[in-house]
Amino acid sequence: MEAIRIGIVGGAGYTGGELLRILINHPRAEIVFVHSKSNAGKLVSDVHTDLFGDTDTKFSDTLSQDIDVLFLCVGHGDARKFLDANSIAERIKIIDLSQDFRLSQNSIHGNRNFVYGLPELNKEKIKNADNIANPGCFASCVQIGLLPLAASGNLNAEVHINATTGSTGAGQSLGATTHFSWRNNNLSIYKAFEHQHLNEIGESLIQLQKDFNKELSFIPQRGNFTRGILAAMYLESDLSLEEAQQIYTNYYASHPFTHMSRKNIDLKQVVNTNKALVYLEKHGSKLFIISIVDNLLKGASGHAVQNMNLMFGLDETEGLRLKGVGF
């Protein structure tokens, strides 16, 4: 079978680097170019040094139209600017990892209509899509913890969400809250109740449960570790633990990367993989939900490759059977 010819814009950052690590070993992928104006002419392995010996590809400052799919690994707001400034042939599929096209009100650009790329929500739509808006990392983790409740009509109370992310979630650019000497042995809260991912989470839940109108009280935290997101959530629920476990198990039965665990979970189970795990407890009238993902993989680049597989009719696990860190 022919290879999928791929272009990457923004290949020097964290999500671009993770995308390269996956695609270099993907049996159906052929990387045609990796675009980065600031690194043009450099070997990819000069920037992503762990790829030394794996690829002799160099960054380019030009674009080729001789590709099947274009990944946009640029900052929020920059994907739309890129498409405004560059004419991309309509036959080329686009997978955007920024937030520019995730919300329904922003999902159209010219003749391109972007489908929200959460396979656990929109798998059939993704299979038929030409353009994908990849979900946010927090949004992926939180939604995976809540979608089965919404799909079964059991999301009927305010949801309290406390979620902690690793430092790579802030991107590669150095800032006051990403510097090692500040982040190490530290913990902080940011954008309490106002995080931008709340909008896409809300749209997805309403897609499954039309009458959902309860608060999502979201407290994001910066963790002092590198990778992963753990979301701890609770809400009032009439479901028994056994009923809730069955709802989650049934919902995720056809999703190969997402699993309902009967044992408590921890981040090392998913770091460096495209897996998402969910664990439930019942405390009196409260249903307690823990969901975990790797923010750079199931929360970003792994998700993007999963979407590519679906768009091109491949097994969605192709190239994504990744080894976890374990310890």
Side-chain angles (χ1 to χ4, degrees):
M1 297 177 71
E2 291 185 6
I4 300 169
R5 293 174 59 80
I6 296 165
I8 300 172
V9 173
Y14 287 149
T15 57
E18 288 299 273
L19 194 59
L20 284 162
R21 293 177 186 98
I22 297 168
L23 294 176
I24 283 170
N25 295 295
H26 192 293
R28 289 288 307 280
E30 178 186 345
I31 300 172
V32 174
F33 68 85
V34 185
H35 184 274
S36 173
K37 288 184 178 180
S38 59
N39 291 287
K42 291 182 181 178
L43 288 166
V44 164
S45 59
D46 286 341
V47 174
H48 303 295
T49 55
D50 60 298
L51 293 179
F52 177 72
D54 293 332
T55 179
D56 57 3
T57 300
K58 292 183 177 181
F59 288 105
S60 171
D61 59 0
T62 60
L63 304 171
S64 169
Q65 300 283 336
D66 188 22
I67 56 174
D68 302 305
V69 60
L70 180 67
F71 288 90
L72 300 180
C73 300
V74 296
H76 301 313
D78 292 335
R80 189 174 292 274
K81 291 176 183 176
F82 175 85
L83 293 179
D84 286 341
N86 296 275
S87 178
I88 306 299
E90 287 190 27
R91 63 173 180 77
I92 297 173
K93 299 179 187 292
I94 293 178
I95 301 175
D96 175 37
L97 279 76
S98 81
Q99 67 181 16
D100 291 15
F101 306 107
R102 291 174 189 162
L103 300 181
S104 57
Q105 65 190 36
N106 301 324
S107 62
I108 296 175
H109 184 277
N111 293 325
R112 294 185 179 272
N113 185 18
F114 284 80
V115 169
Y116 187 64
L118 183 63
E120 287 77 5
L121 176 70
N122 286 330
K123 184 181 290 191
E124 295 307 312
K125 291 181 180 179
I126 293 166
K127 289 179 181 179
N128 297 302
D130 292 322
N131 307 283
I132 292 292
N134 219 56
C137 53
F138 268 135
S140 296
C141 190
V142 171
Q143 287 176 91
I144 283 169
L146 297 177
L147 291 178
L149 292 178
S152 61
N154 284 293
L155 201 58
N156 299 313
E158 178 182 3
V159 185
H160 302 266
I161 307 163
N162 186 298
T164 306
T165 185
S167 58
T168 52
Q172 193 172 36
S173 298
L174 187 61
T177 58
T178 61
H179 197 288
F180 176 82
S181 60
W182 185 90
R183 194 102 180 199
N184 190 48
N185 297 323
N186 204 359
L187 185 68
S188 67
I189 292 170
Y190 71 110
K191 297 182 180 178
F193 302 103
E194 298 176 351
H195 197 279
Q196 64 273 15
H197 288 183
L198 279 169
N199 293 323
E200 59 185 282
I201 296 168
E203 282 199 355
S204 297
L205 297 178
I206 291 171
Q207 180 178 326
L208 293 178
Q209 184 173 327
K210 303 298 184 186
D211 63 349
F212 176 68
N213 59 0
K214 304 300 182 182
E215 289 280 344
L216 297 173
S217 295
F218 181 27
I219 310 297
Q221 294 187 158
R222 302 180 182 96
N224 68 338
F225 51 92
T226 305
R227 299 174 72 127
I229 296 176
L230 185 149
M233 301 170 272
Y234 70 90
L235 72 158
E236 297 286 333
S237 176
D238 293 331
L239 294 170
S240 68
L241 177 59
E242 293 74 20
E243 288 170 336
Q245 288 173 332
Q246 195 60 54
I247 286 170
Y248 277 73
T249 299
N250 291 346
Y251 187 90
Y252 288 124
S254 62
H255 298 284
F257 290 114
T258 303
H259 308 279
M260 214 291 295
S261 173
R262 299 296 177 109
K263 298 179 180 179
N264 203 346
I265 53 180
D266 62 86
L267 277 181
K268 283 191 175 180
Q269 291 177 266
V270 298
V271 168
N272 204 46
T273 79
N274 200 53
K275 289 193 297 186
L277 300 183
V278 181
Y279 169 72
L280 307 176
E281 291 180 356
K282 194 70 191 290
H283 296 273
S285 62
K286 294 180 174 62
L287 180 65
F288 180 51
I289 307 157
I290 302 174
S291 62
I292 53 174
V293 300
D294 183 316
N295 59 292
L296 291 178
L297 289 172
K298 187 59 174 168
S301 302
H303 229 149
V305 174
Q306 185 179 355
N307 284 327
M308 181 194 78
N309 288 340
L310 289 168
M311 294 167 80
F312 285 90
L314 306 181
D315 185 316
E316 64 188 294
T317 67
E318 197 75 60
L320 290 168
R321 301 178 185 95
L322 306 173
K323 175 192 172 296
V325 293
F327 53 85

